[in-house]
Amino acid sequence: DFFLFHIKCFVYICSHQRTFILEVMGRHCGYLALVSALSCGADWVFIPEMPPDDGWENHLCRRLTDQRARGSRLNVIIVAEGAISRDGKPITSDQIKKLVTDRLGFDTRTTILGHVQRGGTPSAFDRILGSRMGVEAVMALLEATPDTPACVVSLSGNQAVRLPLMECVQITKDVTAAMASGRFDDALKLRGKSFENNWNTYKLLAHINPPDVKSNINVAIMNIGAPCAGMNAAVRAAVKMGIIQGHSMFAVHDGFDGLAHGQIEPINWTTVSGWTGKGGSMLGTKRTLPGKLLDEISENIAKFNIHALVIIGGFEAYVGGLEMVQAREKYEEMCIPMVVIPATVSNNVPGSDFSIGADTALNTITSTCDRIKQSAAGTKRRVFIVETMGGYCGYLATMAGLAAGADAAYIYEEKFNIRDLKTNVEHLVEKMKTTVKRGLILRNENCNANYTTDFIFNLYSEEGKGIFDSRKNILGHMQQGGTPTPFDRNLATKMGAKSILWLTEKLKECYRHGRIFANTPDSACVLGMRKRSLTFQPLADLKEDTDFEHRIPKTQWWLKIRPIMKILAKYDIKLDTSEHADMEHVLNKRGDHRK
């Protein structure tokens, strides 16, 4: 994740009309190159698992020329250091530079990133992943018997899994053997479903030529709620995938307000081509819900002949989608397929473990906490109280607390009282007697109406007199800004593309008597990450799992890993081990390719 961040930074500081070739690590595995290409919208990627077809030189030059003709000032080619051709010969960055320079005359620069990719401060995601995997590894050891095979602890989607070590070793050998014998499709599958999905998504989005036959389908895209990093990447992927499918794509500005007042216009690939790395919302977004605008909205859906709707946003997008579904009984125009893509720093949309934008906000909070702690490097015995966003959802406070090494994180979902505050103060008093003489406390903005940030600051200041002093920081809207992290770009790109593919299939199902008519619950869904995969869940089915008053899901996966933060802060508590990963077999899942 740290490495991908630096790829992102490099690509978007380049303003000249040039072609950039980036060589990245990956002598035997193209993961870094592939995910980098997907995250930054590279024009071409070379990976060892899937060499380009014969004659790729002509294809590459055509693609770069087409991009320039469409007004692109920048071309990016990413090369894994182990990239090869179909006959097993190396493909080098110098070879590609010579090709582009000699054939096209483009001003071309090559950068070999080298070992800079290995260094640096870990991202919030990497820190949390390390903590979760460390806990899972210890649990695997404690639960092991003499007959239990050695295992590898890993993450599949958002699910911790245990895989037999020797099977993993065999799979790695099988990948090498498959590449050596030219069975590249097998090599790709052996890398796993996630790798294969990344490749298929990139391959689809890399083709910029629309089909000769149009689908006569109009798809509208809109942003709802507060802006967040990654929204634009989702719009870009959805627009491009829609064009590839032959649809006409429409942009709705300013959310449901814009849909009601006709702020709708066609949007094409040229418009969104540079949106991957842009924060905020280029379409404009508002929190307005459609409930009081249904007459105007239905008129404009009919006026612009909209056949499907992509709603990208936070809790307002979810509620707005529900209101649109409920309005189907009265307004036939609302009987179109709809998909909600969760995008909010709060990560509070029912139906998804992760929302676009939450990782960027989490990184901002974590890096800020690092700087705050560093500011006290020469000052002993100091405690910092930091307030985070999230509404009533404690995701940011909890995960930032785990990533930044907080002593406590106060959230709405886990009730606390004055005795808990007293325990935390006493814990910090004892901590100041050790070699670590700094404390960090995180507080979700709506965790408690009475125990405010000022109250907690005053309490710690008073109780810590003579032992430690306190400082408070309210991070505010800086958590919503900035360019999206690689995680958010990748998630947004895959969600945007997948939403259009789903709508395309759903439109075929709903085509009746010469028109689109969608009124079943499964024609309006939330696309969310659930444990291992991206899944579509009907909006109506998620109502029972929603606390509408506090705008949060009733069930939240991350609450079960909160004890890890307290254990690492050296509190004497127990970890819930009722849910643990079972040993799985890699070969059964991917097929035995050793034959």
Side-chain angles (χ1 to χ4, degrees):
D1 200 52
F2 166 82
F3 157 72
L4 296 176
F5 170 77
H6 285 277
I7 288 284
K8 169 196 75 173
C9 291
F10 176 85
V11 168
Y12 287 97
I13 60 173
C14 307
S15 59
H16 300 285
Q17 188 163 318
R18 286 176 176 163
T19 297
F20 288 90
I21 301 168
L22 279 75
E23 183 178 304
V24 303
M25 284 183 172
R27 192 173 304 163
H28 305 292
C29 178
Y31 173 83
L32 289 177
L34 176 57
V35 178
S36 299
L38 195 60
S39 299
C40 72
D43 298 287
W44 197 283
V45 62
F46 292 90
I47 60 173
E49 291 87 350
M50 188 54 69
D53 294 330
D54 295 335
W56 61 267
E57 297 90 346
N58 295 329
H59 190 182
L60 172 61
C61 290
R62 265 199 319 273
R63 183 174 296 177
L64 297 182
T65 304
D66 288 345
Q67 288 285 55
R68 290 291 175 93
R70 287 178 167 83
S72 174
R73 294 176 55 83
L74 171 70
N75 298 121
V76 177
I77 300 168
I78 296 180
V79 189
E81 62 178 322
I84 55 174
S85 62
R86 287 272 163 180
D87 56 4
K89 295 179 181 177
I91 297 176
T92 66
S93 51
D94 287 339
Q95 177 186 346
I96 299 166
K97 179 182 178 180
K98 187 176 187 306
L99 170 70
V100 174
T101 304
D102 291 351
R103 284 209 193 175
L104 304 177
F106 289 175
D107 187 7
T108 306
R109 297 288 186 272
T110 299
T111 299
I112 299 175
L113 293 181
H115 280 73
V116 69
Q117 299 162 73
R118 291 190 183 274
T121 305
S123 66
F125 180 87
D126 282 340
R127 299 184 197 194
I128 294 165
L129 177 63
S131 299
R132 292 179 67 185
M133 296 299 95
V135 170
E136 190 60 41
V138 172
M139 295 309 301
L141 286 172
L142 293 176
E143 294 167 8
T145 67
D147 298 324
T148 304
C151 73
V152 174
V153 173
S154 184
L155 198 70
S156 176
N158 190 34
Q159 183 78 32
V161 296
R162 300 175 193 172
L163 307 171
L165 173 62
M166 296 314 297
E167 288 188 15
C168 292
V169 171
Q170 185 60 51
I171 285 289
T172 303
K173 291 180 178 179
D174 290 347
V175 173
T176 304
M179 289 193 291
S181 60
R183 293 182 290 109
F184 297 109
D185 288 334
D186 286 346
L188 193 70
K189 287 184 171 63
L190 284 163
R191 284 292 184 211
K193 201 66 179 174
S194 176
F195 192 99
E196 188 179 6
N197 287 341
N198 282 334
W199 172 254
N200 290 335
T201 302
Y202 175 79
K203 192 167 61 172
L204 276 172
L205 293 175
H207 294 287
I208 54 178
N209 295 320
D212 295 329
V213 180
K214 292 285 186 180
S215 66
N216 295 320
I217 293 295
N218 298 330
V219 180
I221 304 175
M222 60 200 300
N223 293 161
I224 308 296
C228 69
M231 277 183 164
N232 297 318
V235 172
R236 170 191 172 274
V239 168
K240 190 165 187 180
M241 187 59 75
I243 292 170
I244 291 167
Q245 297 297 312
H247 307 328
S248 297
M249 305 303 293
F250 287 81
V252 180
H253 298 278
D254 296 335
F256 286 114
D257 265 349
L259 188 58
H261 298 118
Q263 294 174 249
I264 305 168
E265 63 179 5
I267 188 168
N268 56 37
W269 172 236
T270 304
T271 306
V272 301
S273 61
W275 284 19
T276 308
K278 293 184 178 180
S281 169
M282 300 296 289
L283 295 183
T285 180
K286 290 185 176 180
R287 296 179 182 271
T288 308
L289 294 174
K292 296 180 180 179
L293 302 168
L294 292 173
D295 288 338
E296 295 89 341
I297 288 173
S298 62
E299 288 173 9
N300 279 316
I301 288 176
K303 178 182 176 181
F304 288 89
N305 198 24
I306 294 171
H307 301 109
L309 191 59
V310 179
I311 306 171
I312 303 170
F315 200 83
E316 291 87 355
Y318 166 70
V319 175
L322 276 173
E323 290 184 1
M324 295 277 282
V325 170
Q326 290 162 1
R328 284 175 169 177
E329 295 179 3
K330 182 178 179 182
Y331 301 92
E332 192 174 307
E333 293 82 2
M334 307 290 185
C335 294
I336 57 174
M338 305 176 201
V339 61
V340 174
I341 297 178
T344 169
V345 301
S346 301
N347 197 35
N348 63 337
V349 178
S352 187
D353 291 351
F354 296 111
S355 295
I356 297 165
D359 187 70
T360 303
L362 189 56
N363 268 290
T364 300
I365 298 167
T366 302
S367 62
T368 304
C369 287
D370 286 348
R371 292 188 178 96
I372 288 171
K373 290 197 294 184
Q374 191 179 41
S375 72
T379 307
K380 296 181 178 180
R381 299 190 178 95
R382 179 162 290 176
V383 175
F384 295 96
I385 293 99
V386 178
E387 181 182 297
T388 68
M389 279 184 164
Y392 286 94
C393 181
Y395 175 82
L396 288 180
T398 295
M399 292 308 208
L402 183 56
D407 296 281
Y410 301 123
I411 63 171
Y412 170 79
E413 293 91 342
E414 192 173 279
K415 306 303 180 186
F416 61 97
N417 54 38
I418 195 66
R419 288 184 295 277
D420 297 313
L421 295 174
K422 178 175 178 289
T423 299
N424 296 146
V425 172
E426 291 171 349
H427 178 80
L428 283 168
V429 168
E430 291 301 312
K431 183 178 181 180
M432 295 303 161
K433 297 175 183 177
T434 69
T435 55
V436 182
K437 300 184 184 299
R438 290 192 302 275
L440 178 64
I441 305 294
L442 272 69
R443 179 188 177 274
N444 166 252
E445 60 184 342
N446 288 339
C447 66
N448 191 291
N450 296 312
Y451 298 137
T452 63
T453 301
D454 285 336
F455 176 91
I456 292 174
F457 168 70
N458 291 333
L459 175 68
Y460 275 71
S461 298
E462 181 63 28
E463 296 299 320
K465 275 184 179 178
I467 304 170
F468 59 80
D469 59 356
S470 301
R471 298 288 187 273
K472 67 177 176 180
N473 295 267
I474 298 175
L475 301 185
H477 281 75
M478 67 180 293
Q479 298 162 79
Q480 286 186 331
T483 57
T485 60
F487 182 93
D488 278 333
R489 294 177 186 216
N490 195 307
L491 181 63
T493 299
K494 288 193 280 194
M495 281 187 162
K498 195 175 181 73
S499 67
I500 296 297
L501 294 175
W502 179 82
L503 285 173
T504 301
E505 292 303 312
K506 193 58 64 175
L507 284 162
K508 293 176 184 176
E509 294 176 17
C510 300
Y511 187 77
R512 302 171 190 170
H513 310 296
R515 65 190 184 98
I516 304 296
F517 186 80
N519 65 344
T520 57
D522 66 351
S523 63
C525 289
V526 170
L527 170 57
M529 169 66 77
R530 280 297 204 191
K531 291 189 176 180
R532 297 196 177 196
S533 59
L534 291 172
T535 58
F536 292 90
Q537 300 148 93
L539 284 161
D541 291 356
L542 295 170
K543 288 171 69 176
E544 291 184 4
D545 189 41
T546 305
D547 178 350
F548 287 96
E549 180 184 355
H550 298 103
R551 297 160 52 88
I552 55 175
K554 292 178 182 176
T555 307
Q556 304 195 75
W557 67 272
W558 49 266
L559 286 171
K560 291 185 178 179
I561 67 172
R562 267 181 66 82
I564 299 175
M565 179 185 66
K566 294 183 179 180
I567 290 170
L568 294 176
K570 298 187 178 179
Y571 282 87
D572 184 15
I573 66 163
K574 291 183 179 180
L575 180 67
D576 179 10
T577 58
S578 58
E579 276 193 22
H580 60 86
D582 294 320
M583 187 77 77
E584 299 184 3
H585 292 281
V586 188
L587 297 175
N588 289 346
K589 291 165 62 179
R590 301 182 190 174
D592 193 339
H593 293 270
R594 290 175 290 176
K595 297 176 182 177

